[in-house]
Amino acid sequence: MEYFTHTWHWAISGFLIGLIMLALTYFGNSFGMSSNLRSLCAMTGIGKRIPFFDWDWKSQRWNLVVVIGAMIGGYVAIHFLSDPSNVSLNPKTLQQLAALGIDAPNGKVLPNALFGDQAFHSPKLILVLIGGGILIGFGSRYAGGCTSGHAISGLSNLQLPSLKAVIGFFVGGLIMAHFLLPLIF
């Protein structure tokens, strides 16, 4: 399979995201991925038992197309538009990851220790994934949206709650990376 020799410049993606934000604002919509989980759950009819999911999901059909586009775009980007050999990490970072038992990318986009098949053979990693998923779901609901919704849509609309949420996301990420990740591994 033929890869591009260079990844896209960040300004191209930023410009395209900006155009999408302008189009969404023009049509009176806002962007966010976590709201799609609510739409998918509402589609199943679970709203008859759980009032939170009892709403008109058809009004958000356009946002489900965003999810499908993100999945297709991710597939195309990984398989046709990327060159994982140009992933470059600081040697100190590689040493810290090795101390935690996480392998270097070595021409891959993601380390096998976290994203390979062997992760599903470890009960500890399975519990970490389930616990992380629950925390992310709770956090995005508590914050009124996910990182993409707040950081892309909320900040572009100059919403103060989104600024607070994004600051919280970054602080939480720093705490996770520097204090909790070494305890987990």
Side-chain angles (χ1 to χ4, degrees), residues 32-38 52 132-150 161 165 169:
M33 290 301 226
S34 63
S35 59
N36 288 305
L37 180 59
R38 183 178 182 196
F52 177 73
I134 290 169
L135 289 173
I136 287 171
F138 172 78
S140 65
R141 187 70 243 145
Y142 185 73
C146 60
T147 52
S148 59
H150 281 298
F169 296 147

Side-chain angles (χ1 to χ4, degrees), residues 78-157:
I78 288 295
H79 293 288
F80 303 109
L81 301 176
S82 67
D83 179 15
S85 67
N86 69 6
V87 174
S88 174
L89 295 177
N90 185 311
K92 185 176 178 184
T93 300
L94 291 173
Q95 289 174 349
Q96 291 172 340
L97 291 174
L100 296 173
I102 300 172
D103 55 326
N106 295 328
K108 299 177 302 246
V109 177
L110 302 169
N112 285 334
L114 298 176
F115 299 98
D117 292 337
Q118 69 267 23
F120 297 106
H121 298 290
S122 166
K124 180 181 176 182
L125 275 179
I126 291 172
L127 286 174
V128 167
L129 290 172
I130 291 171
I134 290 169
L135 289 173
I136 287 171
F138 172 78
S140 65
R141 187 70 243 145
Y142 185 73
C146 60
T147 52
S148 59
H150 281 298
I152 298 171
S153 189
L155 289 180
S156 67
N157 289 322

